[in-house]
Amino acid sequence: MRLSIFLCSLVAVLFLTSLVVGPADTALVPSLRALFFGGEGPLAMVMHEIRLPRALLALMIGGGLGMAGAAMQGYLRNPLAEPGLIGVSGTAALGAVLAIQTGVAGAFLFGLPLAALAGALIGVFAVMLLAGPNGSSLTLILAGIAISALAAALTSLVLNLSPNPFAANEIVFWMMGSLADRSMVHVWIALPFIVMGIALLATLARGLDALTLGEDAAQAMGIGMRGLRLRLVFGTAAVIGASTAVAGAIGFVGLVVPHLLRPLVGAQPGRLLWASTLGGAAMVLTADIAVRLILPSGDLKLGVVTALVGAPLFLHLIYRTRLNSL
């Protein structure tokens, strides 16, 4: 209970901070007044068109990635697992890259996010086709790795053959991940998919707790492993696909957050789901605030910041896992 109160309070404070921090130095009270009561001044436009969408996307994407990471680690019973294992982030990125390269993203307002969502949908069906309806968790991982490798190869091929250096530059910067210049349109595109994904993943709590005893014990307790895996894959795909569609690639959130919070919930996968949702939202909100504070006049990417924070923690996790195995 105390952990939930702390995380909720932390997310609320970071959300309000995200609404205030920006190139235009404004106080909290005038900013909130402009947000809730509107007006004709520039501050109201900044709050409604720039800061509110950015804060909402950070909250949604961080929460979704955190829960997806906790669910994936609970299902595979491996703290090194992360949502990108099923390959959906790679295929979503490939769809967005193709939209940028072909000019669809520039000609059609929803071209890029819809192409990324289409790529995510193709990716999840490809993974399920390769893994089969009754395949093991190892088969699912191998299918995801294969799809990720293929998507990465095709993305590199598009960049290699790109005749337009400006399109290639845009692709590279988009793949770094960012919440800058996003609007409420992006919020409404991502919201239904992220909510659907979180709703599916939230139903896994009992099954993940039972899986700590092994698959045979979980089945003896009445857990349907096929249904559990389908909800895991489609829930993760909805979250990852929507997040990648509107913000590009933002890594390490689903890997680092569950690892940090696991000792605080007694290593119970069911409790870790919601704790990681709040923790993921806090991490992405913090990283996005840091982007605006570290280089306010530059174009530091959100995905770069999360990687700089997550990679050392990931190496520390590998080191601890190695020590425990000795």
Side-chain angles (χ1 to χ4, degrees):
M1 178 62 71
R2 285 182 294 180
L3 178 63
S4 299
I5 294 174
F6 170 76
L7 289 174
C8 287
S9 302
L10 178 62
V11 170
V13 170
L14 290 171
F15 186 83
L16 291 175
T17 304
S18 180
L19 291 175
V20 176
V21 173
D25 189 14
T26 57
L28 177 61
V29 174
S31 298
L32 294 180
R33 186 182 299 118
L35 176 64
F36 290 109
F37 300 104
E40 300 297 330
L43 182 57
M45 181 178 296
V46 168
M47 294 300 297
H48 286 99
E49 301 297 329
I50 299 176
R51 293 187 182 175
L52 180 61
R54 189 165 182 166
L56 287 174
L57 284 173
L59 182 71
M60 292 160 40
I61 292 172
L65 293 177
M67 178 175 275
M72 189 64 68
Q73 292 179 12
Y75 176 75
L76 298 176
R77 286 158 287 169
N78 188 337
L80 299 179
E82 57 100 18
L85 273 178
I86 63 172
V88 176
S89 56
T91 55
L94 176 60
V97 165
L98 290 174
I100 295 173
Q101 178 61 34
T102 57
V104 172
F108 179 42
L109 178 62
F110 305 112
L112 192 149
L114 290 180
L117 287 171
L121 187 63
I122 293 171
V124 69
F125 279 110
V127 168
M128 295 307 298
L129 184 64
L130 287 173
N134 299 309
S136 64
S137 57
L138 178 60
T139 307
L140 179 66
I141 294 173
L142 293 175
I145 292 173
I147 295 299
S148 293
L150 179 61
L154 292 175
T155 301
S156 299
L157 179 64
V158 172
L159 284 168
N160 186 37
L161 299 179
S162 175
N164 186 348
F166 297 102
N169 187 61
E170 184 180 355
I171 289 170
V172 170
F173 276 99
W174 181 85
M175 291 180 66
M176 292 181 184
S178 176
L179 295 177
D181 302 322
R182 301 308 190 265
S183 66
M184 289 303 296
V185 171
H186 295 90
V187 173
W188 293 118
I189 289 174
L191 181 63
F193 293 97
I194 293 179
V195 169
M196 179 181 67
I198 289 177
L200 284 172
L201 294 173
T203 64
L204 303 179
R206 178 173 174 269
L208 295 179
D209 286 339
L211 267 178
T212 58
L213 303 175
E215 291 192 9
D216 293 337
Q219 289 177 330
M221 296 171 64
I223 304 299
M225 296 306 299
R226 182 177 178 180
L228 183 73
R229 188 176 67 165
L230 285 174
R231 281 177 284 152
L232 171 75
V233 171
F234 282 103
T236 302
V239 169
I240 299 296
S243 300
T244 306
V246 298
I250 300 175
F252 288 98
V253 177
L255 173 66
V256 171
V257 171
H259 169 64
L260 294 177
L261 295 177
R262 185 173 287 105
L264 303 179
V265 297
Q268 297 180 28
R271 291 180 59 195
L272 185 61
L273 288 177
W274 287 111
S276 295
T277 303
L278 295 171
M283 179 176 177
V284 176
L285 281 166
T286 302
D288 191 49
I289 292 169
V291 165
R292 287 175 269 178
L293 292 177
I294 295 173
L295 286 175
S297 59
D299 192 20
L300 184 63
K301 298 299 183 182
L302 177 62
V304 175
V305 175
T306 57
L308 288 174
V309 173
L313 290 173
F314 182 56
L315 293 174
H316 174 67
L317 175 59
I318 294 174
Y319 179 71
R320 283 187 54 188
T321 303
R322 178 187 172 187
L323 289 181
N324 293 333
S325 64
L326 294 178

